[in-house]
Amino acid sequence: MSMKDTDKKERAVKYKWGMVIDLDRCTGCGACVVACHAENNVPFVGKELSGYGRAMHWIRIERYWEGEYPHVRARFIPVLCQQCNNAPCEPVCPVYASYHNAEGLNAQVYNRCVGTRYCANNCPYSVRVFNFFEPSFPEPLDQQLSPDVTVRTKGVMEKCTFCIQRIRRAKETARLDGRAVRDGEIQPACAQTCPPDAIIFGNLADPKSRVFRFSKSPRRFRLIEDLGTDPSVIYLKGGGHEHVR
Amino acid sequence: MGIKRRKFLQLTGLTAAGTMLSSCGKGTEKLIPFLIPPDDGSIPGVANYFASACRQCPAGCGILVRVAEGRAKKIEGNPLHPVNKGKICARGQAALQDLYHPDRVRQPMKRVGAKGSGEFTPISWDEGLSLLLEQLNDLKKQGHADRLLFMTPRLQGTLSELVWSFMSVYGSPHHLAYEMLNTESYEQANVAVCGRGDVPDYDLEKTQYLLSFGADFLETYLSPVRYGNAFGKMRQSRPTIRGAFTYVGARMSMTAASADRWLPVNVGQEGVLALGMARLILEQGLYSREMVKNVEGNPEVWMKKLSDYDLHSVAERTGLAPEEITSIARDFATIQPSLALVGDSVVFQSNGQDAVQAIQFLNLLVGNVGQPGGLLFCSPPVGQGSTSSFANLLSKVDALERDEFHLALVYRTNPVHGLPSAIRFQEAFKRVPFVVSFSSIMDDTAMHADLILPDHTDLESWGDVVPWVGAHSQVTGILQPVVNPLYDTRSFGDVLLAAARGLDGEGEKVLPYKNYLDMLKQRVQRLIDGSSDTASEKNWVEILQRGGLFEQEEAVLDVPQKKGVSPVPVREPYFEGNKEAYPFHLALFASPVIYDGRNAHLPWLQEMPDPMTTAVWGAWVEINPKTAESLGIKHGDLVMVESTQGSVQVPAVIFPAIRPDTVAIPMGQGHHGMGRYADKVGVNPLGLLAPVMDKEHVLPAWGATRVRLTRISDKGDLTVMGHPEGSYRGELLEI
Amino acid sequence: MSMSDEEDLTPEKVEAVQQDLTSSMNPPTWKWFLLSGFLGLVVIWGAIAWGYQIRMGLGVAGINLPVMWGFYIVSFVFWVGLSHSGTMVSAILRLTKAEWRRPILRGAEAMTVFAIMVAGTFPLIHLGRPWKLLYFLPIPNQRGLWPNFRSPLLWDIMAITVYIIGSSLFLYLGMLPDLAIVRDRSSGWRKKLYSMLAMGWRGTAHEWRVFARASTLMAVLIIPVAVSVHSIVSWDFAMTLVPGWHSTIFAPYFVIGAIFSGVAAVITLMVIIRKAFHLEAYLRPIHFDNMGKILLTVSLLWSYFYFAEILTTWYGHKPIEWEVFIFTGEKYCFLLGLMVLGNSFITIPALCFKRIRRSVPAMLLISLFVNVGMFIERFLIIVPILSHRNVPFIWGDYRPTWVEVSIMVAAFAGFALLYTLFAKFFPIVSINDMLEGEHFKSEARLGRAKLKTIITDE
Amino acid sequence: MSNRVEILGLYKDLETAAAAAEALVQGGFSEKEITSISSGPYPDGVIVKDEGRSFLRWISLAGGMMGAGFGFLLAAGTAWLYPLHTGDKPIISLFPVGIITFEFMMLFAILGTIGGMFLEMGLPGFKNKVYDPGISQGLIGISVSCQDGAQQNKAVEILQGAGAVKIRNEGQP
C-alpha cells in the first residue's frame, strides 16, 4: 500500500477519544496520580505549596464524606480534565493556547500560553494547574523526565492531555501498518496502571469499542452535566448500601 | 487487559543490559547531529521496555520499565505477571525516584563524627570491603563468630539462599528477618485452623460476599495490586452479579471506604463477632455440611462451645446492633461463595490469635476454604524465605543489651525507624560497636552505621522476587538492571559474595559463584529443571524478556486436612493504659501511600494525597468529630498524643469514619535521615506503642495501646488537598 | 480673586484668573520635590516587586488553585472603574451644558487618563509570562496565529486601548487653547514644548467654532466607549460559567459601579486640588453640592443593582450559587458590611442633606468611604466567588502577599505621581472653559433684583 | 495670495473690539476677511461672523465607517484565515466580531474627529502668523486680511481709529 493510500485511510478513520471511569471499581488508591506524574513530567511542589493550592496533579482523587458516624460513607471520584466538547476553557483564551483538536481533545499549547489563567477560572472542574514557579527536579531526578513530553516553564497553564504522546505514538504505528488504531491499543498512564481497571479509554466514535459500550451503561453520568460542557469523560455510578442484596 | 501490549516484548535481548546503556553521561550541552547510532542500539526518541520485578513491598509484582536514551522513564505493570496482571500501584510507580533520588549514598562511606551524627566521609570500595572483612575476620579469629547479627527483611530466592549460606559459613545463627508488619501471627493461626502454615491467597475475583475484618487488601495488605484488580472484577465483571463487601473495623480505611457497609466494631472484639456469627450460622443450620464432614466436626459440640456467644452478648461486646449481626451472618452464609479476610488491626491485638482462628473458623464453617471464591491454600511458593518470630526479635534485643553482638549488618531494613521503641531495640542497637549498612539511601539506621556499603537500587540490580501471595506455584520475578548504575554502588549480593571469599575459611567452597548474577542464573536453572547448570543463554534471555518464571498451575484447591477443628473462645483483649487516664484506643495503620515508611523518601508519594484524609507530606491523628468537639480540637490543630510510653505532637484530622473511642495515626513518617523528602517530615508514632503481647503465643499486640489527647495550639502544620468543608459537600457535584 | 465680582472681563481680571489657575505650574517648592520623590520611590518599590515576581514566577503572589485571580485583577477593575467618570462625567456635563461643570472638567479628564493607564498595567502584571505580551497583538507572525477574538480578554485589550487613546485625545482637545495660553506665559524650553503642543493655536473665531464642534462631537463619541469598556470588563467575569459571575446584570452593574467610584474619586480629587492649589474661589460649595447629587443618584442606582443581583440569587437558591453567597457572608462578613455601609447605608442618607453636600470635609469623607466600599466590592466579586467554585473538593482560600500589596500601593503612588506631574506642567483647571463661562455671563434686571444669567448659543 | 497681508489690532475689551470689526465692515472689508483672535470663545456674531461650512461630522462618520470595516475584517477575517475551534463557538462568532467592530468604529471615529478638527482649523501651523502674546492676557485682536499698499493703510487706519492698543503686521516679530 502506498503512503498516500495509508494517509487517506488514516484520515478516513474518525477518532473521538473518550474515557469511562467506573466508580464502582475505583478504590481511591492513587496509583493513577503517581503514574501521571511519571508519564507527563508533572513536578512535585512540596508541603508548603501543596497546602496553598499549588499542587500540580493532573488527576486527583476527590474524596467526599456523606452522612455521620456510624452511617458515614466516603466516596472517591477521580477528576481529571474532562476534555469537554463544549469546553468553557477554550474560547476565553486570548492567544489560542487552549483549543479543540479534531479528535475531541482539549489541547493546551504550552508555548503559546501567556498565563492569563482565564481558562483555569472558567474550568468548572478546576482541573487546570498553573506553574506558579519554575518546576524543580533536583538532580538526578531530572533524568527521569520523559523525552516525549515538554517540561513546562513557569507562568504556563497545564492539564491532563489524555496522554496525547501515547495517542500520537499509536497513531503513527497504525499509520505505518496501514490500519486504524485498535481498540485498547492506547492507554493513558492512569488507565494502564489502575489496579482495579476502573478506567477505560478509547474511541467514542467507534460503536464497537469498549469505551463506547461502557459509555452507554445505565450507571452513566457526567460531572456537572447541567452546565452543558459535554465532557468526554463518563463516570459510572458507584454502589452504596442500596446495592446490597 | 485484553489486548496484547504492543511490542513490549520487543524488549531487546538483554544479556548484558547493564553494560549496554552508556548514554547516561553528562555534558551534553551541545547539539550534535545524529549521524552514527550509538553502539548500544538505543535510538533517541525510541524507548525500550525492560521487564523486571518490583520490590517496593513484599507483594512482588512484575513490572516493565520504559527506558529511553539510557534512562528509566516510566514503570508499568507486566501484563504477563500472574500476580499483578499489568497493573501497578503508586508505590511501584514511584520506584523510579528511588533510582534517581538526589540524596542517594553515592559511594562507600565511613563514619567520622560521633555515632548517629550522620557525619561520614567517602571511601573507596577497596577500603570499604577491607574494613568489612577486617571486622568479620577479627570476630571470627577471636572465636566470636556468633557475635555477628544480620538484619534483613524476609528474604526471597537467591538472596535468601545467599544470606543463609553466608551466615552458616561464617558461623553465626543470628539472622534476624523481622519487620513490624510480620505475617507470623497469620501463619500460626492458619496452622491451628487449617493445618497450613502459609499465607493463603484470597479468591476475591470470584467471591460474591466479601467480609473483611480489618484487612486493608486494597492498600497495604499482602498484595494490594492483585487484590485491587480482583476487587474490580468482583464488583463489575460479572453480568448480573455485583459482589457485596462488608468491612468490620474501628477505623474506615481506604479499603473500608469501598465497602457497601462499614461496621465500626469495638476494638479487639472482631473475633467475638466472628464467633457470634458462627453461632448464628450454626443455629440456623446454614453451615456447609460437606465441610463439617471433611474436618470431622460436630456442630452440636461447636454450638456448646459457643454458648457464651449468643446474639445479645455479642452485640453488647462488639457494640453493633443485633440486626446488623444477624444480617451479615445470614448474608455471609447464604451468598456463596463468600469470603472472610482478617487483617493487621485484628491480628495485632492481645487476643489476635483467637480472633484469626475465629475468623478462619467462620470461613471453614460456610465452606470457604479451598473453594473458588474463597480461601486458597496452594502449593507453597518456592524460595519464599522465612520470617523470624517475635520471640526471636525479643531475644535478640536481650542479647544486644547484654552486649553479645559486636558486629551488625543491616540490609534493606530500617529497624531504627520501623520498630516500636517500647521493645527497647533502638537503645540496645546503639551498643553494637560496629554497624554496617547496605542501604542505598541514608536512612535512620544507616545514620547509626559505622560503614555504609551502598547497594544498587532495584532498577540497577539483578535479583529475583518471589511474590508473597498469588503465586500458585513457581513464580519468580527476575530483576534486571535497566540502566547503568548511576553511582559507585555495588550490588549487595556481590559484596556479600566478595566478603564470603575474603573470609578465612570455606566461604569460597560454599559460595563458589563468580558473581551474584552467576548465582542467580544457576538458581533459575535449578528452578527450571533441577539441574545445577547455569541457565542457557537462550533460556535466560527469554526469561528476562518475560520478566521471570511464570509457570502457573491451575490453582490447587486444597481442602483443609486438619481434623477435629473446633472454635476456640476469644479472650478479652488487654489494653495498656487505664480507661480514665487514657480514654482512646490508638490504631496505627500502615500508610496506603508509604506503607511502613520504606517509601517515605519518594517525593511523588509524599505529594500523593492520603486517600482518606487527603493529607500530604506528614503524619496526622484521626479523631471522630464528636470526640474532637468534646476536646475542643479543630481540623489542623496541633495535638499531643500521649500513652504510657511516650508522646508525639501531631496535627489533628477530623475524621468522620472512626469510632469515637479510637484515634488513628499512620505509620511511616518521622524519619531522621532518609533524604531530604523524608527527613523530619511528620512524626513516627511507634514510640507510643506499649509492649503488649499475646503472652500465650508470644506475639506482639501493636493495637493494644491506649492514649489521651491534649490540644496544644492551632498550628498543626497540616496539609490536606481536600477542602475541609468542601469535602462534605459532594452533593453540589450531584455525584 | 473671586469669580463672583460683577465687573466686565478686563485684561487685568483675565490675568488674575490665569494667575490663579496656573498657580499649580509655579516653580516647584521643596515640598513638591519631597512629595514626588516619595511617590517615585514607592513606584520604584512596586517595580522592584514586579521584577521579583517576573524572576521568581507568579507564585510570589497569593493566587492559587482555585483563586487564580487576586489583587491584580481587583485593582484592574477598580482602576478601570475610577477611570470611568472622568471622561464620562465631563462628557455628560458638557453635553448638558451644566454651567457648574467648568472647574471640574480638566481634573476629571486627567484622572481618567491616568487611572486607565494604571489600570492597563495590571493585566500585564498579572500575566504568567508578561514577556510574551506580543502574542496578544494582531501582528502577522511566523507562528501563523492570531489572537483569539472570541476571548473577552481580547475585547478588553481593544476596548482599553480605544479608551486610553480616546480619553487622552479628549483631555488634549480640551487643553488645546490652554496650551496656547501657557505657551504665551512661559519661556525657554517650556515655551518650545507648549508651542509644539499648542500646534499654532491662535484663537481665531474660526478655530473657536471648530473647537466647540469637535468638543461636542468627542463628548458624544466618548460616552459609548466608556460604557463599552466597563461592560467588557464585566464580561470578563460574566462570560464564564463561574457561579456568581455568570449573570446578565453584570454589565450595567459594573458600569454603574464604575461611575459610582469614579464620581467619588472626582470629589476626592476636587478636595485635594482645591486645598493644594488654593482654588477655593473656583471650586465652591455649589460644585460639591452638585457632585453630591450625582453621587447620590449613582449610589441609589448601585444599591438597586446590588439588590436585584442578590435577590435573584437568594430567590433562585441554586445550590452552588447559594453556597458562594453564604460563604461570602460568613467569611467576609466584615468587608461585606463595610461595603454596604460605604456604598449605600451611609452615603444615601448623608447625601440627602444639602449641608452635608456643601461641606467639603464631609464630602471628602463620603467619597473616600465610597471608594473603599467599591474596592471591597471588586474584591468580593473576585476572591470569594473563585474560592468556592463548582468542585467543593478544591475550594480554597486567598491571602495576598507583600508583592501584591506593594504593587497595589505603587499603583496608587504612580497615579498620584502622574497627577502631580500633570498639575505641574499643565493647568489643572480649564482656563478657557472658565473664561468662556465668564464671557457668557451677564446680568439682567428682574423687578428689583439683579440676576445672573448665562448666554447660550441657541 | 502672496501679496496679501494680515493686520492685527489689539483691543482692551469686547466693546471696542466689536466696534473695530464693525468699522472694518463699514470700511469695505468683507466678513470673510475679518476675524477675531481671543483667548476665550465668543458666540458667533458677537465680534465677527464665521460663515464657513463644517465637514467635521462627516469626517467622523467616515472614520467610524472605516473603523467598523477594519474591525470587522480584523476579527472575522483573521478568525476565518486561521480556523481554530474553541469550545462550541463558531469560527466567525457574531457577538465577538460585533464587539471588536464597535470598538474600532469608535476609535476611528474619534481619530477622525480630532484629525478633522485640525484639518478644518488649518492646524498645526507653526509659521509665524500674526499674533500677539497680549491676547493670552485678555486683549482681543481683530485681524484683517488685505492687499498690500492702499488697502493695508486703510485697515491700519480703521483699526487705529477704533482705539487699538497696538497694531501688528504679519511677519513682524
Side-chain angles (χ1 to χ4, degrees), chain B residues 476-493:
Chain B
T476 296
I478 303 290
L479 253 73
Q480 62 171 323
V482 300
V483 293
N484 271 343
L486 256 66
Y487 303 116
D488 188 15
T489 55
R490 278 190 200 179
S491 142
F492 165 73

Side-chain angles (χ1 to χ4, degrees), chain B residues 19-39:
Chain B
T19 59
M20 294 192 341
L21 311 155
S22 56
S23 58
C24 299
K26 286 193 180 166
T28 48
E29 266 122 27
K30 277 186 214 155
L31 285 173
I32 296 166
F34 181 76
L35 296 175
I36 306 154
D39 304 340

Side-chain angles (χ1 to χ4, degrees), chain A residues 98-117:
Chain A
S98 173
Y99 80 103
H100 213 68
N101 83 4
E103 294 170 10
L105 291 183
N106 207 219
Q108 175 75 10
V109 187
Y110 304 128
N111 53 9
R112 282 196 60 80
C113 177
V114 292
T116 65
R117 307 184 300 295

Side-chain angles (χ1 to χ4, degrees), chain B residues 327-532:
Chain B
S327 98
I328 58 169
R330 192 174 41 248
D331 287 351
F332 188 71
T334 54
I335 303 176
Q336 283 291 325
S338 65
L339 175 59
L341 274 64
V342 53
D344 292 350
S345 66
V346 177
V347 166
F348 294 125
Q349 291 293 348
S350 62
N351 62 358
Q353 270 303 296
D354 308 346
V356 179
Q357 289 188 26
I359 291 159
Q360 297 302 43
F361 178 74
L362 191 64
N363 269 325
L364 201 68
L365 192 64
V366 296
N368 293 344
V369 182
Q371 299 297 319
L375 240 72
L376 307 178
F377 287 99
C378 310
S379 44
V382 179
Q384 184 63 268
S386 60
T387 170
S388 304
S389 67
F390 186 59
N392 190 350
L393 172 69
L394 294 181
S395 74
K396 292 289 184 292
V397 173
D398 284 344
L400 281 166
E401 282 178 336
R402 291 195 303 272
D403 292 328
E404 282 179 15
F405 292 116
H406 286 188
L407 175 61
L409 308 183
V410 185
Y411 169 68
R412 261 191 112 84
T413 181
N414 188 5
V416 171
H417 176 267
L419 289 176
S421 44
I423 60 168
R424 309 186 311 278
F425 174 84
Q426 282 85 346
E427 281 311 303
F429 185 68
K430 282 181 192 154
R431 306 169 74 101
V432 182
F434 201 84
V435 175
V436 181
S437 167
F438 297 95
S439 179
S440 66
I441 189 135
M442 189 67 82
D443 63 21
D444 311 57
T445 309
M447 293 282 276
H448 287 275
D450 298 87
L451 178 66
I452 304 176
L453 299 175
D455 186 14
H456 292 328
T457 57
D458 292 346
L459 297 180
E460 301 161 318
S461 324
W462 290 107
D464 49 354
V465 173
V466 180
W468 204 331
V469 294
H472 293 159
S473 74
Q474 292 189 359
V475 174
T476 296
I478 303 290
L479 253 73
Q480 62 171 323
V482 300
V483 293
N484 271 343
L486 256 66
Y487 303 116
D488 188 15
T489 55
R490 278 190 200 179
S491 142
F492 165 73
D494 282 333
V495 172
L496 208 58
L497 281 173
R501 275 197 294 276
L503 287 179
D504 316 330
E506 15 192 280
E508 190 90 57
K509 235 182 272 167
V510 179
L511 293 165
Y513 307 103
K514 267 205 312 262
N515 52 27
Y516 183 62
L517 175 59
D518 189 40
M519 183 173 178
L520 178 68
K521 280 188 183 174
Q522 286 198 24
R523 187 186 130 75
V524 168
Q525 190 59 38
R526 235 180 12 257
L527 285 176
I528 297 171
D529 55 11
S531 81
S532 58

Side-chain angles (χ1 to χ4, degrees), chain C residues 74 77-78 81 257-258 261 374-382:
Chain C
V74 173
V77 181
F78 177 76
S261 65
M374 284 310 291
F375 190 88
I376 294 172
E377 190 234 30
R378 274 69 183 248
F379 179 83
L380 291 181
I381 284 177
I382 293 169

Side-chain angles (χ1 to χ4, degrees), chain B residues 215-226:
Chain B
D216 297 329
F217 59 90
L218 295 176
E219 39 197 312
T220 52
Y221 181 69
L222 297 180
S223 194
V225 178
R226 175 179 181 76

Side-chain angles (χ1 to χ4, degrees), chain D residues 68-92:
Chain D
F70 179 76
F72 180 85
L73 283 181
L74 184 68
T78 60
W80 177 72
L81 276 175
Y82 300 96
L84 284 180
H85 276 281
T86 60
D88 54 346
K89 307 280 180 290
I91 295 293
I92 296 175

